Amino acid sequence: MTEKEKMLSGLMYQAWDAELLDERQKAKELCYKLNHLSPSQPQVRKALISELLGLESDASLESPFNCDYGYNIKAGKGFYANHGCTIL
């Protein structure tokens, strides 16, 4: 069983596993882009949010927003997160 499989199963896992490090780094890069994007670029924001969450989403995330992986966040229709939201 991989460390990611353990994590997703709720078991103890090694957070410094190379696969998980890479996935957290990707999420940090996407959060950085999102948090430094002008509010006047709603279509770019929407695309970044969908990429971060790993699915087509109508979620609205105000900056700054931070998360560790992104793909494990399930946001319902019309989800809104105000400034300073962190989801781990």
Side-chain angles (χ1 to χ4, degrees), residues 14-30:
Q14 176 52 257
W16 304 114
D17 176 70
E19 179 182 18
L20 296 177
L21 283 171
D22 289 343
E23 290 181 359
R24 283 196 307 274
Q25 185 62 35
K26 179 182 177 187
K28 285 180 185 183
E29 293 290 338
L30 290 169

Side-chain angles (χ1 to χ4, degrees), residues 5-6 13 16-17 22 35 42 44-45 57 63 72 83-84:
E5 289 170 337
K6 291 177 190 176
Y13 66 96
W16 304 114
D17 176 70
D22 289 343
N35 291 333
V44 178
R45 290 185 69 79
S57 176
S63 297
N72 57 344
H83 301 279

Side-chain angles (χ1 to χ4, degrees), residues 72-88:
N72 57 344
I73 299 170
K74 304 298 181 234
K77 186 169 177 59
F79 177 80
Y80 174 79
N82 210 338
H83 301 279
C85 181
T86 298
I87 300 176
L88 300 175

Side-chain angles (χ1 to χ4, degrees), residues 32-73:
Y32 180 86
K33 289 177 184 179
L34 182 66
N35 291 333
H36 289 84
L37 190 63
S38 170
S40 64
Q41 297 179 284
Q43 292 306 102
V44 178
R45 290 185 69 79
K46 180 181 169 105
L48 283 172
I49 291 168
S50 290
E51 184 176 356
L52 181 62
L53 300 182
L55 51 95
E56 187 67 28
S57 176
D58 71 341
S60 180
L61 308 174
E62 299 290 352
S63 297
F65 174 81
N66 294 290
C67 65
D68 51 1
Y69 296 99
Y71 59 75
N72 57 344
I73 299 170

